């Protein structure tokens, strides 16, 4: 069985400071891992994905994530937060290409001016 | 290039009624998946359609059914609506080995 656990339901940072959103996964197979962002009343936008290539994955808008198999983690980071980053972030696992996506519960990111 | 289009954007139904939600996939995508996102939760997989057949199904009752047409568009039908069916319903299209594109969703409220 596969699952993801997002360790923080809410993270608050000041504009210009680093962002860290934590995610642990469980998978019997070599997983594909994703981070999606959801702005209020909007659909889901893909930030980045890991599919067994480089362990450090760069995404859009300055976000990146590092796949650590020994720690079963896939944390999302950004060096400097922007007000427009305020949104809900989901860590997602999929067992194979085209397979169903299993979402974490989400982390709400707030950015203070 | 149009992305995934869902209709309607919002609707309100009464308990016991039936509802049909529609999804037009991104151009070139042949697979459509449906997800239910309750308030404050992550999306939950309902089912996936490929070549007009249900290929995978999540843990949802038979009240939830779907269809995919030859042009790859899809419908999600929910019968005998319950208050707990109130949620944002998201459609995602894909073309292997590429990733998913999500629509903006249909907000269903059951009263």
């Amino acid at each position: 069985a596969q699952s993801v656990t997002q360790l923080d339901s809410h993270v608050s940072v000041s504009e210009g400071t680093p962002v860290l959103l934590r995610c642990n996964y469980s998978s019997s197979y070599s997983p594909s891992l994703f981070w999606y962002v959801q702005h209020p009343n909007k659909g889901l936008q893909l930030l980045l994905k890991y599919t067994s290539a480089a362990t450090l994955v760069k995404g859009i808008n300055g976000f990146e994530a590092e796949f650590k198999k020994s720690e079963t983690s896939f944390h999302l980071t950004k060096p400097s937060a922007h007000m427009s980053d305020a949104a809900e972030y989901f860590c997602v696992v999929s067992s194979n290409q085209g397979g169903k996506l299993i979402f974490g519960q989400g982390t709400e990111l707030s950015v203070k001016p | 290039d149009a992305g995934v289009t869902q209709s309607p954007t919002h609707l309100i139904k009464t308990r016991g009624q039936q509802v049909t939600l529609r999804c037009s996939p991104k151009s070139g995508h042949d697979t459509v998946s449906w997800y239910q996102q309750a308030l404050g939760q992550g999306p939950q997989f309902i089912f996936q359609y490929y070549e007009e057949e249900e290929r995978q199904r999540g843990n949802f009752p038979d009240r939830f059914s779907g269809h995919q047409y030859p042009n790859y568009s899809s419908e999600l039908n929910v019968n005998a609506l319950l208050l707990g069916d109130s949620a944002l319903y998201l459609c995602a299209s894909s073309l292997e080995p590429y990733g998913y594109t999500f629509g903006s969703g249909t907000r269903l409220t059951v009263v």
Side-chain angles (χ1 to χ4, degrees):
Chain A
Q2 295 176 298
S3 65
V4 288
T5 302
Q6 293 184 242
L7 301 174
D8 307 288
S9 59
H10 186 256
V11 170
S12 181
V13 301
S14 297
E15 191 174 21
T17 64
V19 175
L20 170 63
L21 305 183
R22 300 181 296 164
C23 172
N24 287 346
Y25 71 91
S26 174
S27 177
S28 303
Y29 307 93
S30 180
S32 294
L33 292 160
F34 310 79
W35 277 97
Y36 280 86
V37 61
Q38 187 176 36
H39 289 92
N41 300 314
K42 299 283 188 181
L44 294 156
Q45 182 184 21
L46 179 66
L47 283 177
L48 50 81
K49 63 180 177 181
Y50 166 79
T51 54
S52 73
T55 56
L56 182 61
V57 183
K58 293 188 183 298
I60 62 171
N61 301 334
F63 285 95
E64 62 181 38
E66 186 172 7
F67 174 72
K68 292 187 176 181
K69 186 175 181 178
S70 61
E71 299 176 9
T72 61
S73 69
F74 190 59
H75 301 334
L76 181 70
T77 60
K78 182 174 181 178
S80 176
H82 191 273
M83 294 297 291
S84 62
D85 294 328
E88 189 85 15
Y89 291 79
F90 292 97
C91 182
V92 182
V93 65
S94 174
S95 62
N96 53 20
Q97 293 279 21
K100 70 177 183 181
L101 302 179
I102 299 168
F103 286 75
Q105 290 292 90
T107 298
E108 183 183 359
L109 175 65
S110 299
V111 182
K112 298 175 289 187
Chain B
D1 178 26
V4 177
T5 304
Q6 292 187 242
S7 62
T9 55
H10 297 81
L11 75 164
I12 300 173
K13 290 287 189 178
T14 303
R15 275 181 300 175
Q17 285 188 316
Q18 179 264 344
V19 68
T20 297
L21 310 182
R22 294 178 174 82
C23 173
S24 293
K26 183 176 180 178
S27 178
H29 285 189
D30 60 4
T31 303
V32 173
S33 303
W34 287 91
Y35 290 81
Q36 180 196 65
Q37 186 178 17
L39 200 61
Q41 308 275 332
Q44 300 279 321
F45 175 76
I46 303 175
F47 43 53
Q48 183 182 83
Y49 276 84
Y50 173 70
E51 292 188 342
E52 303 179 53
E53 296 286 333
E54 185 182 286
R55 184 161 70 173
Q56 293 186 73
R57 188 178 181 90
N59 189 25
F60 279 80
D62 291 345
R63 297 187 298 110
F64 289 77
S65 63
H67 188 79
Q68 185 180 35
Y69 293 93
N71 67 354
Y72 306 127
S73 67
S74 177
E75 291 179 351
L76 164 65
N77 301 291
V78 187
N79 295 322
L81 284 166
L82 304 173
L83 295 179
D85 295 331
S86 295
L88 179 68
Y89 288 85
L90 294 164
C91 172
S93 70
S94 58
L95 174 66
E96 295 187 19
Y98 308 105
Y100 294 86
T101 300
F102 280 84
S104 296
T106 294
R107 174 75 63 188
L108 171 65
T109 302
V110 182
V111 298

